[in-house]
Amino acid sequence: MSSTTLFVKWMIPVAIVWGLSYPLTKLVSEYSSPMIISVVRVAVGFIFFYSLSRSLSIGVKQFINGLLNFVGLLTFLNLGVYFSKNPGLVAVMIYTQPLFILVIEYVLGTRIRTKGIVGIILGVIGITAAAFVSFDLGLFFGLLGGLVWAIGTVYYRRNLLKEDIVKLNASMALTSLPILLILTPIDFHFTLSLTALSLLIILALIAQVGGFFFWFNAVKYLGSIKAGTGSLLVPVTAYVLSYAFFRTIPTPIEIIGSAITLIGVYLTMTS
């Protein structure tokens, strides 16, 4: 199967489900604190994946992978939201991940073509163009989230590629849940209602179950560098879906940045 076909099969769904998760998270945050959202996402993910597999993939490597891809990523993302004056830009900063992947893979000896390097750099410039206008502590945590996610992506690619993805997701969710529960007092608030619970479950099914299932398959079949670059499509999709939900029109710099990102993704995918 060609790289283009694999990209369409795995990365386009990633862009859609994670892009949709941003306007949904904005809706859910009216009823719940960010850490509660993380706990529910991981809990629903565990229930779903374990009900499919009826078994777990247990081990030290699996535990480390969960710490990086679930606990680390979600914690830094939510700390960023807590400390930032503009929480939406924190999510954008998470997508500096491909640049960190590029550096890590290069240090580990992976051969990367110049065209691919240029594509990743352009993609990251496009995504972060708006964020650096108002950099603060929250965006710094977003950067740390991008770094941790990059390490987790490379770690999975090099250590757990042959693992059953359903069992692996169930195990990571189970081991991550107690740690995330300890962090729930941070900015705690929750309004119990049928609407709040429904939105939380829908968000968890889309972002946690669908998102990570497609994501780990994308890393498995495309490699960490191409999958990481493809993930830059998520913020672009989020802009479009945010407009569909809230009629939020992207700023000129966001539109220009999105165009630069698409060019970067194209260069890397065709390198």
Side-chain angles (χ1 to χ4, degrees):
M1 194 176 291
S2 68
S3 293
T4 302
T5 302
L6 289 171
F7 183 88
V8 172
K9 182 178 181 180
W10 298 116
M11 284 311 309
I12 296 302
V14 167
I16 293 172
V17 297
W18 274 346
L20 180 59
S21 71
Y22 287 107
L24 279 178
T25 299
K26 183 176 181 180
L27 289 173
V28 175
S29 63
E30 296 179 5
Y31 305 93
S32 177
S33 61
M35 296 308 299
I36 293 294
I37 295 173
S38 298
V39 168
V40 174
R41 278 182 55 166
V42 173
V44 172
F46 168 72
I47 293 171
F48 182 89
F49 285 116
Y50 184 74
S51 66
L52 289 180
S53 64
R54 295 294 181 181
S55 61
L56 299 170
S57 176
I58 301 296
V60 175
K61 291 181 179 180
Q62 290 86 338
F63 177 70
I64 294 173
N65 198 53
L67 287 179
L68 293 169
N69 287 291
F70 283 7
V71 177
L73 172 59
L74 292 176
T75 298
F76 281 125
L77 173 60
N78 287 291
L79 282 174
V81 170
Y82 181 76
F83 284 107
S84 179
K85 296 178 181 179
N86 192 340
L89 292 181
V90 177
V92 174
M93 296 304 289
I94 294 292
Y95 287 90
T96 54
Q97 175 233 32
L99 183 59
F100 291 122
I101 288 178
L102 177 69
V103 174
I104 294 169
E105 290 284 12
Y106 181 79
V107 170
L108 293 176
T110 301
R111 181 175 175 270
I112 304 169
R113 294 182 179 179
T114 302
K115 188 178 179 181
I117 295 174
V118 172
I120 291 176
I121 293 173
L122 281 177
V124 172
I125 289 173
I127 289 300
T128 58
F132 281 112
V133 174
S134 56
F135 195 81
D136 57 22
L137 181 60
L139 298 188
F140 173 70
F141 279 119
L143 274 174
L144 289 180
L147 173 60
V148 169
W149 189 17
I151 296 171
T153 299
V154 175
Y155 186 87
Y156 164 75
R157 175 71 180 174
R158 290 176 175 266
N159 294 281
L160 296 165
L161 201 60
K162 296 182 180 180
E163 290 290 309
D164 181 283
I165 290 178
V166 175
K167 293 181 182 179
L168 181 62
N169 270 279
S171 300
M172 290 193 299
L174 180 62
T175 56
S176 301
L177 195 56
I179 302 172
L180 289 171
L181 282 169
I182 294 174
L183 299 174
T184 53
I186 299 176
D187 193 31
F188 179 87
H189 69 272
F190 181 70
T191 303
L192 181 61
S193 69
L194 181 60
T195 301
L197 290 175
S198 299
L199 287 173
L200 274 169
I201 293 173
I202 291 171
L203 175 62
L205 289 173
I206 291 174
Q208 196 70 24
V209 175
F212 278 100
F213 175 78
F214 287 119
W215 169 247
F216 283 121
N217 272 294
V219 176
K220 181 176 182 178
Y221 292 109
L222 289 169
S224 57
I225 293 175
K226 285 190 175 182
T229 306
S231 71
L232 292 170
L233 291 174
V234 175
V236 179
T237 308
Y239 287 147
V240 175
L241 293 174
S242 293
Y243 175 76
F245 271 71
F246 307 111
R247 290 295 184 265
T248 302
I249 301 175
T251 63
I253 195 169
E254 288 172 341
I255 295 173
I256 294 171
S258 297
I260 294 173
T261 294
L262 291 173
I263 294 172
V265 171
Y266 173 78
L267 288 175
T268 302
M269 293 305 301
T270 57
S271 66

